[in-house]
Amino acid sequence: MNLEPGFYALVGPNAAGKTHYLHSMMGPGAALVPAGPDANFAGTTVADHLRAVRTARPLQELDIADARLKNLSVGQRRLLTLEVALATAAPLLLLDEPLDGIDVATRKQARQRLIDYIAEDPERTVVMASHRPEDFAGLATHVIQVFDREVSRPVALDDARLCFPTVTGPAAEIAELAARFPVAETASLGPTTRATFAEPISDGECHLPVSYPTDAELIDLLATERIAR
């Protein structure tokens, strides 16, 4: 599919086909950051790896020490793959679990690099797969769902949000709504129930207050619940 510039959250269950989809998008003008176990490095030092990358495509200068690859920590290896991909300045950046297995400080650093990358050129397109909804907070503008190797059309995050209204009220009234609308998740405390539905509910169909999930909550829902079409 042709994607407009923006940051796309690629979500879905394990083994749904997210990695396969990312690899299917590879081509001229695209750069891929593979999942940690799939990352390969050339040579014995960071400088060796950068020279190998430059034989395939132009690469901006990187301020990275001439360290030996085997001595890099998990976080440093993840940052290296990310920095190399960013340095290609490709218009399409594909990220497969780029923040997986790294500590909080390194994750914060990587997220800031992605924010800066988008800010440098608003015409860039980023598609990122992750199982951590917080990784997308403040980054994702659209969502793409993958279920059983079926890939959905992109949906703006704010449009997807309207498909998951949350209603809190007396248990009996929530149960009546649940009989008419599909439920994504519920929680009860005494006589009060909080339910998030998987379908829009109009004002005329519910007199109780309606709220909507935060970005992180929404991404978590979208990983298991298909958007109502």
Side-chain angles (χ1 to χ4, degrees), residues 29-31 57-60 83-93 117 120-121 124:
R57 65 195 312 165
L59 193 67
Q60 298 172 6
E83 289 291 349
V84 169
L86 296 181
T88 65
L92 174 60
L93 179 63
Y117 183 75
E120 289 168 5
D121 186 353
R124 287 171 174 162

Side-chain angles (χ1 to χ4, degrees), residues 25 31 55 93 114 125 191 210 218:
M25 299 177 72
T55 64
L93 179 63
L114 288 173
T125 301
V210 177
L218 178 60

Side-chain angles (χ1 to χ4, degrees), residues 140-182:
T141 56
H142 295 73
V143 63
I144 299 172
Q145 292 182 294
V146 184
F147 289 95
D148 299 323
R149 295 189 177 270
E150 292 185 3
V151 183
S152 74
R153 302 295 303 175
V155 177
L157 209 59
D158 286 340
D159 291 339
R161 196 186 320 276
L162 298 178
C163 296
F164 294 94
T166 297
V167 184
T168 302
E173 295 188 47
I174 299 299
E176 190 275 331
L177 281 174
R180 296 187 289 126
F181 299 95

Side-chain angles (χ1 to χ4, degrees), residues 165 167 173 176-178 180-181 197 199-208 210:
V167 184
E173 295 188 47
E176 190 275 331
L177 281 174
R180 296 187 289 126
F181 299 95
F197 295 89
E199 186 176 296
I201 299 177
S202 66
D203 293 339
E205 294 171 309
C206 177
H207 70 278
L208 295 169
V210 177

Side-chain angles (χ1 to χ4, degrees), residues 86 104 156 193:
L86 296 181
V104 174
T193 296

